[in-house]
Amino acid sequence: MVSRVIPVDPFDLVVFGGTGDLARRKILPGLFRRFTSGQMPPEARVIGAARSELDRDGFRKMTAEALKEFMPEKARPKADVEGFLAHLDYVAIDAKGKDGWKELAKLMRPGVVRAFYFSVAPSLFGALAERLHEHGIADPESRMVVEKPFGRDLASARALNRTLAEHFDEHQIYRIDHYLGKETVQNLMALRFGNILFEPLWNHQYVDHVQITVAETVGIGGRGEYYDKSGAMRDMVQNHLMQLLCLTAMEPPAKFDPDAVRDEKLKVIRALQPVQPGSIVRGQYAEGEKSKSYREESGHPDSRTESFIAMKIDIANWRWNGVPFYLRTGKRMRTRLSEIVVRFKEPPHSIFDEDAGNNANELTIRLQPNEGMDLKVTIKEPGPGGMRLIEVPLDMTFADALGQEESDVPDAYERLIMDVIRGNQTLFMRGDEVEAAWAWTDPIIEAWEAGRDAPRPYDPGSAGPEEAFMLLHRDGRRWREIRA
Ligand code: BG6
């Protein structure tokens, strides 16, 4: 299927931290794909800005190597790579000093969209913002993009928001949560609000419970220093899982418009009940046959940081009264899978014999891999022998339905960067949303830190510690299996 690509306005995008890991892995390959799809206008320019003493050719060479490393060969024909590299420029810059700022000011062109991607440590945000203004590089319409982690608690997130607010208006700030850029996450909104079918059932009258799972097979790899100070709660729950929960639980916004959507998400976060200690299970992966334990990998032999979390959350509002949302996420699990499962109630009365069985419908939205949805419906088991009911899936993989290859699906980053250029904040977090999410997670983390309880060990390649199963079992429910 050929999708319609509308070129964006001409832009100058400055990537601070342009030689860093995120730039090489995501930002530059993402921009390259937008270039090959025809979305980048001929006047567009991407300016790398970092400490490394590179020149324009050096940056182009580094970018070519990054594309080679992070993209399959067939996705990067030579002529396209060369065409893309011609859009790149570079300036060596000292974020906290004087070097490079005048050169950058000279490079910027009037009359095009100006965007600044802060792909650097949050401690540099203030200095960068200050210098952009001091040198007249940022104007009231410039946009700035910041990455997670956006703070590590409410106090630090507030401080960051204040720093940014000294130099930029909220409408200029794009806080990235890359989960919001995933096609299927956006599809969640299309599914809920573009169909009449689901919305009438999407409430406590018909929904028994919701499960949100983000499982990864990877461990923490070389990120031990960062991860051990974060854990799954700060790294995944406070942002990615919270966003999935919000999109699943929010009221229909009046419009698909940045503030209308974000207002509704914020209301969900504010309606989250404090989580009781007995409703959370923390886990940490143990040593496997071929893999190191979390403690060894992180370099912290006594670490009490969790690499797995399962929790039960209540949303105190009219729609979701009494409907638990079970969240779980972990590293080194059986398979890589992100999905949302909406389990409906059983029909109120069965007209069939008791031994016919009674089943509940279940809608699963698969975010990755194999993006799609499946709805379990009850039918009669074929053949003679009376009325016996069985469950069968109505299964749709979006790629099959749309005749797409997996490689046609845009990566989260490329979508989000183009939204920055278009000036559309719908898929970015607003300052008050981030703060509300921290306000909810802070007491949970503080209680762990005060109690010093250790996470439960779990086997790599499993579905987490046994206690995670018990969390649902004691409510008479079961997690949907994490299948390889
Ligand atoms: C990042 C986390 O934000 O998201 C990582 O810091 C995690 O720990 C990653 O692995 C997961 O993203 P994705 O897109 O691979 O599901």
Side-chain angles (χ1 to χ4, degrees):
M1 201 196 62
V2 182
S3 54
R4 204 161 42 97
V5 173
I6 305 168
V8 294
D9 289 338
F11 61 85
D12 277 346
L13 168 66
V14 181
V15 183
F16 292 106
T19 55
D21 190 57
L22 183 73
R24 296 174 58 252
R25 208 177 268 279
K26 294 287 183 188
I27 303 173
L28 294 164
L31 286 161
F32 172 68
R33 282 174 51 119
R34 291 296 89 201
F35 169 78
T36 54
S37 75
Q39 201 164 29
M40 206 191 259
E43 308 86 349
R45 225 168 23 158
V46 179
I47 303 167
R51 248 199 313 207
S52 317
E53 283 300 332
L54 288 178
D55 57 9
R56 177 197 290 164
D57 287 340
F59 184 59
R60 289 180 177 176
K61 193 160 162 252
M62 184 219 83
T63 304
E65 280 158 13
L67 298 182
K68 216 171 176 177
E69 189 175 347
F70 298 111
M71 298 190 76
E73 197 174 349
K74 73 173 191 310
R76 45 179 173 83
K78 201 160 171 257
D80 283 351
V81 173
E82 275 164 17
F84 175 67
L85 296 182
H87 287 264
L88 305 187
D89 213 324
Y90 183 80
V91 24
I93 215 156
D94 178 3
K96 291 188 165 168
K98 291 196 168 126
D99 294 351
W101 290 98
K102 285 201 182 114
E103 289 77 358
L104 180 61
K106 252 191 257 157
L107 275 181
M108 305 300 288
R109 298 164 301 169
V112 302
V113 173
R114 286 187 180 186
F116 305 99
Y117 201 127
F118 287 13
S119 179
V120 294
S123 55
L124 293 178
F125 290 179
L128 289 178
E130 222 164 80
R131 276 164 188 68
L132 284 173
H133 279 91
E134 201 176 297
H135 292 270
I137 302 171
D139 61 36
E141 285 316 308
S142 299
R143 289 139 210 187
M144 49 107 43
V145 187
V146 291
E147 272 292 329
K148 94 174 233 293
F150 199 83
R152 52 176 286 107
D153 52 20
L154 178 58
S156 52
R158 273 199 182 135
L160 273 181
N161 275 336
R162 269 199 304 269
T163 305
L164 297 179
E166 278 173 29
H167 305 282
F168 292 95
D169 189 73
E170 182 63 34
H171 84 274
Q172 299 178 274
I173 305 174
Y174 290 73
R175 295 176 193 79
I176 285 202
D177 180 316
H178 80 279
Y179 263 59
L180 288 176
K182 290 184 189 271
E183 275 292 305
T184 354
V185 175
Q186 295 164 58
N187 230 328
L188 194 57
M189 282 185 277
L191 208 69
R192 283 196 59 197
F193 306 127
N195 293 286
I196 190 78
L197 207 59
F198 302 111
E199 199 47 28
L201 305 179
W202 213 259
N203 57 53
H204 67 100
Q205 268 182 294
Y206 299 101
V207 175
D208 177 73
H209 73 278
V210 176
Q211 299 182 11
I212 300 179
T213 298
V214 177
E216 299 183 275
T217 48
V218 291
I220 53 165
R223 299 165 74 218
E225 267 322 298
Y226 151 77
Y227 195 91
D228 203 61
K229 294 194 196 85
S230 299
M233 191 69 175
R234 289 190 173 101
D235 186 53
M236 296 295 287
V237 177
Q238 187 271 347
N239 35 73
H240 305 326
L241 276 88
M242 180 71 80
Q243 291 296 325
L244 299 181
L245 170 87
C246 285
L247 295 177
T248 310
M250 72 184 187
E251 295 300 315
K255 278 202 278 184
F256 190 57
D257 150 285
D259 279 328
V261 171
R262 297 183 303 176
D263 285 347
E264 294 307 335
K265 288 197 292 171
L266 181 61
K267 285 184 209 160
V268 175
I269 304 174
R270 290 196 172 146
L272 298 180
Q273 291 292 87
V275 182
Q276 301 312 317
S279 296
I280 304 190
V281 177
R282 300 166 74 219
Q284 192 185 65
Y285 57 83
E287 191 181 341
E289 263 174 41
K290 291 190 199 131
S291 59
K292 291 182 187 165
S293 68
Y294 173 86
R295 289 183 171 192
E296 198 182 338
E297 216 162 19
S298 68
H300 294 267
D302 301 321
S303 173
R304 288 165 186 267
T305 300
E306 76 287 349
S307 59
F308 172 96
I309 275 196
M311 61 203 302
K312 176 180 172 181
I313 297 177
D314 291 313
I315 305 177
N317 64 17
W318 193 304
R319 183 187 285 262
W320 295 116
N321 179 45
V323 181
F325 280 63
Y326 298 99
L327 267 50
R328 78 182 150 163
T329 182
K331 300 216 179 273
R332 280 248 193 280
M333 298 185 67
R334 188 171 303 145
T335 191
R336 176 171 182 258
L337 165 151
S338 301
E339 66 181 21
I340 298 169
V341 178
V342 180
R343 175 92 182 170
F344 292 93
K345 293 186 173 170
E346 291 187 354
H349 165 75
S350 175
I351 63 167
F352 307 108
D353 286 349
E354 249 176 46
D355 46 2
N358 201 2
N359 299 311
N361 298 117
E362 194 175 278
L363 174 69
T364 301
I365 300 155
R366 294 192 299 269
L367 306 176
Q368 62 188 26
N370 197 18
E371 288 86 347
M373 53 184 271
D374 98 47
L375 177 65
K376 262 196 210 155
V377 290
T378 299
I379 60 163
K380 175 189 174 299
E381 189 174 12
M387 181 63 90
R388 288 185 313 276
L389 304 180
I390 52 165
E391 278 175 353
V392 287
L394 266 178
D395 195 344
M396 175 172 63
T397 298
F398 293 143
D400 293 346
L402 301 172
Q404 277 181 327
E405 300 262 339
E406 185 151 2
S407 57
D408 293 339
V409 179
D411 175 75
Y413 276 90
E414 53 188 279
R415 163 70 198 246
L416 293 174
I417 297 172
M418 288 300 110
D419 277 359
V420 173
I421 307 299
R422 279 188 284 252
N424 185 346
Q425 288 182 305
T426 311
L427 300 175
F428 296 83
M429 294 180 296
R430 212 167 51 192
D432 52 1
E433 211 183 325
V434 179
E435 289 185 12
W438 281 121
W440 179 76
T441 37
D442 270 6
I444 303 173
I445 296 173
E446 278 160 18
W448 293 336
E449 284 169 359
R452 312 249 335 121
D453 68 326
R456 317 297 302 170
Y458 61 93
D459 289 334
S462 71
E466 187 59 30
E467 288 79 355
F469 290 89
M470 295 312 294
L471 187 68
L472 267 74
H473 185 73
R474 66 173 199 219
D475 292 346
R477 301 183 172 112
R478 266 189 305 148
W479 288 107
R480 193 173 139 100
E481 205 187 324
I482 299 183
R483 274 181 243 109

